[in-house]
Amino acid sequence: AFPDQRKFEDHILYLHDLVQGPIPDLSHKIVSITSNESQVTVVGTISGHHTGSGGPVRPSSPPKSASADFSMTFTVDEEGR
């Protein structure tokens, strides 16, 4: 389970820190943002190459690429936050 994160930026930073060792070139791309009166949903992709130490296996040669799609939904309060 992910820690309690109230901002999208907090989640991206958490993911980056999680894989910073094994995937030092981790990048993220926002694919879409949708909303209604009470929620905002962000869909995106993270990707990089397994070239660093850490993780369950050693880096291979040539490096393997890794990517994941994600979706996060945030509830907006009455003040729009």
Side-chain angles (χ1 to χ4, degrees), residues 14-26 49-59:
Y14 171 81
L15 291 176
H16 185 268
D17 290 346
L18 185 67
V19 296
Q20 183 175 346
I23 306 175
D25 67 340
L26 181 72
H49 297 86
H50 184 192
T51 57
S53 61
V57 296
R58 294 183 190 181

Side-chain angles (χ1 to χ4, degrees), residues 49-73:
H49 297 86
H50 184 192
T51 57
S53 61
V57 296
R58 294 183 190 181
S60 61
S61 182
K64 303 294 184 210
S65 63
S67 66
D69 298 328
F70 63 88
S71 171
M72 291 186 65
T73 300

